[in-house]
Amino acid sequence: MNSRQPIPVVVLAGFLGSGKTTVLNHLLAHRGGTRIGVVVNDFGSIEIDAMSVAGQLGDSMVSLGGGCLCCAVDGSELDAYLEKLAAPVHRIDVIVIEASGLAEPQEMIRMLMASENPDIRYGGMVEVVDAAEFDATRARHPETDRHLAVADLVVLNKTDRVDAAERARIEKELAALCAPGIPVVGADHGRIDPELLFDRRPWTETRGQLSFEDLLAEAAGQDTGHEDGHDHSGHAHAAYESVEFVSEQALSPRRFIDFLDRRPAGLYRIKGFVYFGVPGHEERYEVHAVGRFLRFAPQPWGRGEARLTQLVLIGSGTDGPGLLRELEACREPAPHQVRPESMWGVLRYVARPADPADPADPEIETPETETPEV
């Protein structure tokens, strides 16, 4: 049995000039030890220092030594390249698809939702918006509104090029164009915290010759764990707060879903594991949320592993103590007495349809097989 967890696939979209390639390069340069698979429609715009070492890429898959695998594909080849990237030999942690500036992200999302590849799962769609050219972009590309409507997270880039009043106006318009509660993250030069999209693994120590990873970090001026005396308060992560919640007591599935439905727009990401303990559903449930995108994945407990809930919530301008109080209110002292149908709200966000052979499972279709949760 394959015990590997599916690799999240994040779609990075935005019209030409919005800065999505800059965002992608920032993610690559600040990924820590995370191995990122990258799929792009227009490879020529990627500005990774080591591309000259990689040689002519064409339509082939190339390993860049430090963990970045890049492919240049069109839509018809996407499934094949995702299958290659997801192969165990590459040990990829996350895949980022940079959609062409003229691509229809809805079609890419639909393709990922319908994929039968068990090694990947849809991880949300991020739309990059140029603050300085917002009105002009909407005039040239009326489909902008349609793209924003399916976004799970919006990056308002180039905020350094507009004043506070203009930024506030754009953010108000984005709130009207996006689905309710969709978070908008401000950025300049594409600098957002990678932790909003994926976990960064610790840097591995290297000796002797510098690795590709070390060179990338050095070129980007990134802190690799050495004491450098620099002030990091201006880094992207300084704008976000992280809250951790641990409970040895099970959580009520209904109260927890209510909490997720009411989560504030400033709560950009939720990750971790939840223990519900409901009869027939005693597994641990991995939870992954990017913006309004939400997914649960049931997994077996490890031998001797403690049954508990462990969550990390990352946001900006949120009430950390208030969030913890709401989670505390989700505790369930007698999960064995909770009826199995209380899990229906959770199972709506499981990547596979519920098993009709199990009478405890509702015979419902995962709603995100047609359109993403917004």
Side-chain angles (χ1 to χ4, degrees), residues 124-373:
M125 197 273 271
V126 179
E127 180 78 8
V128 183
V129 174
D130 183 343
E133 297 292 332
F134 178 67
D135 294 327
T137 300
R138 288 186 70 197
R140 287 194 306 270
H141 303 287
E143 62 270 32
T144 298
D145 295 4
R146 189 171 65 249
H147 295 184
L148 288 168
V150 298
D152 299 296
L153 181 71
V154 175
V155 175
L156 182 59
N157 195 30
K158 306 183 185 180
T159 54
D160 56 314
R161 295 178 55 189
V162 297
D163 59 28
E166 177 68 358
R167 175 175 175 174
R169 179 190 71 83
I170 295 171
E171 289 178 341
K172 184 176 180 180
E173 291 201 35
L174 289 172
L177 293 169
C178 296
I182 294 297
V184 176
V185 180
D188 61 85
H189 300 89
R191 292 179 293 202
I192 65 169
D193 191 340
E195 291 281 349
L196 298 182
L197 303 180
F198 55 81
D199 294 335
R200 281 181 290 189
R201 297 184 181 277
W203 286 92
T204 54
E205 183 180 1
T206 54
R207 298 180 182 276
Q209 185 177 5
L210 288 175
S211 69
F212 172 77
E213 192 168 80
D214 295 322
L215 293 172
L216 253 186
E218 185 176 287
Q222 180 178 339
D223 176 17
T224 60
H226 301 294
E227 294 295 332
D228 56 12
H230 293 315
D231 177 13
H232 297 283
S233 61
H235 289 192
H237 62 75
Y240 311 115
E241 303 95 31
S242 176
V243 175
E244 297 184 5
F245 174 77
V246 178
S247 174
E248 295 181 358
Q249 199 171 60
L251 299 192
S252 162
R254 284 179 175 163
R255 291 198 292 273
F256 186 59
I257 286 294
D258 286 344
F259 165 78
L260 293 174
D261 286 343
R262 293 182 286 101
R263 64 192 187 273
L267 185 54
Y268 302 136
R269 188 176 181 215
I270 302 173
K271 58 181 180 176
F273 300 94
V274 185
Y275 172 51
F276 296 112
V278 175
H281 302 280
E282 290 90 353
E283 313 99 316
R284 72 175 187 173
Y285 280 76
E286 179 187 13
V287 60
H288 169 77
V290 173
R292 303 310 293 181
F293 173 78
L294 176 63
R295 178 70 75 211
F296 285 97
Q299 302 167 1
W301 295 96
R303 180 175 298 179
E305 185 176 1
R307 271 56 172 168
L308 48 77
T309 292
Q310 295 177 290
L311 296 172
V312 176
L313 297 84
I314 302 172
S316 178
T318 55
D319 177 9
L323 292 174
L324 290 176
R325 286 193 297 269
E326 291 190 55
L327 287 170
E328 291 283 352
C330 294
R331 293 178 187 268
E332 174 53 61
H336 57 283
Q337 297 179 6
V338 176
R339 295 179 62 85
E341 53 264 35
S342 69
M343 288 291 296
W344 289 9
V346 172
L347 295 176
R348 289 179 63 242
Y349 299 100
V350 172
R352 53 170 177 75
D355 185 1
D358 184 353
D361 285 341
E363 293 186 13
I364 57 174
E365 182 180 14
T366 304
E368 293 161 334
T369 55
E370 293 297 330
T371 57
E373 174 69 12

Side-chain angles (χ1 to χ4, degrees), residues 8-192:
V9 181
V10 177
V11 177
L12 185 63
F15 286 98
L16 296 171
S18 63
K20 61 184 183 297
T21 298
T22 305
V23 171
L24 176 58
N25 284 323
H26 175 78
L27 294 175
L28 291 173
H30 296 80
R31 60 193 160 80
T34 302
R35 294 178 66 85
I36 303 177
V38 179
V39 180
V40 296
N41 290 119
D42 182 12
F43 205 85
S45 62
I46 300 295
E47 299 174 357
I48 302 175
D49 292 345
M51 282 299 174
S52 59
V53 178
Q56 181 62 41
L57 293 167
D59 294 328
S60 63
M61 182 171 62
V62 177
S63 171
L64 298 181
C68 297
L69 297 178
C70 303
C71 312
V73 303
D74 58 33
S76 64
E77 298 172 313
L78 182 59
D79 275 339
Y81 277 92
L82 288 176
E83 183 175 353
K84 290 181 179 179
L85 285 169
V89 66
H90 301 309
R91 296 182 290 114
I92 291 295
D93 298 307
V94 61
I95 296 173
V96 178
I97 299 177
E98 184 194 355
S100 165
L102 300 177
E104 285 291 341
Q106 298 98 318
E107 295 304 316
M108 195 167 292
I109 294 169
R110 189 171 292 110
M111 185 183 303
L112 292 170
M113 290 288 192
S115 174
E116 297 181 355
N117 185 345
D119 294 325
I120 64 169
R121 62 174 171 82
Y122 176 58
M125 197 273 271
V126 179
E127 180 78 8
V128 183
V129 174
D130 183 343
E133 297 292 332
F134 178 67
D135 294 327
T137 300
R138 288 186 70 197
R140 287 194 306 270
H141 303 287
E143 62 270 32
T144 298
D145 295 4
R146 189 171 65 249
H147 295 184
L148 288 168
V150 298
D152 299 296
L153 181 71
V154 175
V155 175
L156 182 59
N157 195 30
K158 306 183 185 180
T159 54
D160 56 314
R161 295 178 55 189
V162 297
D163 59 28
E166 177 68 358
R167 175 175 175 174
R169 179 190 71 83
I170 295 171
E171 289 178 341
K172 184 176 180 180
E173 291 201 35
L174 289 172
L177 293 169
C178 296
I182 294 297
V184 176
V185 180
D188 61 85
H189 300 89
R191 292 179 293 202
I192 65 169

